[in-house]
Amino acid sequence: MRSNWPDKPSALDQAVTDAKSLGAREVMDAFTTDDWVALLLNAAGNAYTGTDTRYQLVRVVRIAYTWADLEAPDHDSLADIRSCAEDLLGAGSLEDPSIVHLAQSVGLVAERIAHKDRLREALINLGTYALAWAAEILPNGETGEGEDQ
């Protein structure tokens, strides 16, 4: 079901966009800012345990881009995170991923809550680091299970 106008999204595309936006607003209503920070801290802490590290890092990405989308619904935060992670990996800048850097990034998100205009940037940076780290786990043949990462 495509629109006859090249620049106009189809009715199906519009409905998907509306569903995504509605779902995000309802999630935001259900969670306080403290809840979001607690979710990030939990996911980051679980990445440190070494049990399925990649999955836990992807959880961090999911939380970061969902929250970032709520802060700026007109942006595609996951696409921004992916693009930044691709740049980070392409530049070889993810030399020694660690829980310390991940925790610092979560801390920066918490710090930026008071500065709404910079919160999304911190969430994108956090998501970028976690996604790049998760992507690095696969090529090295690591599963993250039982490993000290």
Side-chain angles (χ1 to χ4, degrees):
M1 178 182 251
R2 306 216 19 94
S3 169
N4 292 333
W5 300 96
D7 295 336
K8 184 178 178 190
S10 71
L12 181 59
D13 290 339
Q14 290 173 351
V16 168
T17 299
D18 291 345
K20 182 179 176 186
S21 296
L22 177 64
R25 273 191 231 106
E26 288 180 10
V27 169
M28 189 61 170
D29 290 341
F31 287 89
T32 66
T33 301
D34 289 348
D35 292 333
W36 282 107
V37 173
L39 284 170
L40 283 174
L41 287 169
N42 178 268
N46 286 340
Y48 176 69
T49 65
T51 304
D52 202 359
T53 303
R54 184 174 179 276
Y55 170 77
Q56 297 304 330
L57 291 167
V58 171
R59 277 188 61 219
V60 171
V61 174
R62 173 66 174 158
I63 295 164
Y65 87 75
T66 299
W67 191 358
D69 278 348
L70 292 168
E71 293 298 316
D74 55 329
H75 291 83
D76 184 344
S77 299
L78 182 56
D80 292 344
I81 288 170
R82 185 191 191 289
S83 175
C84 291
E86 192 171 45
D87 291 346
L88 182 69
L89 291 168
S93 298
L94 190 73
E95 294 175 13
D96 189 21
S98 73
I99 189 65
V100 173
H101 186 81
L102 189 66
Q104 288 171 334
S105 296
V106 173
L108 183 58
V109 167
E111 181 183 311
R112 296 265 177 95
I113 289 170
H115 309 285
K116 284 276 194 187
D117 59 321
R118 300 189 65 205
L119 176 58
R120 183 178 185 277
E121 175 188 333
L123 289 162
I124 297 299
N125 289 340
L126 170 64
T128 295
Y129 184 79
L131 185 62
W133 186 359
E136 282 287 296
I137 290 172
L138 283 180
N140 297 331
E142 301 168 4
T143 63
E145 294 182 27
E147 297 171 0
D148 184 16
Q149 302 246 343

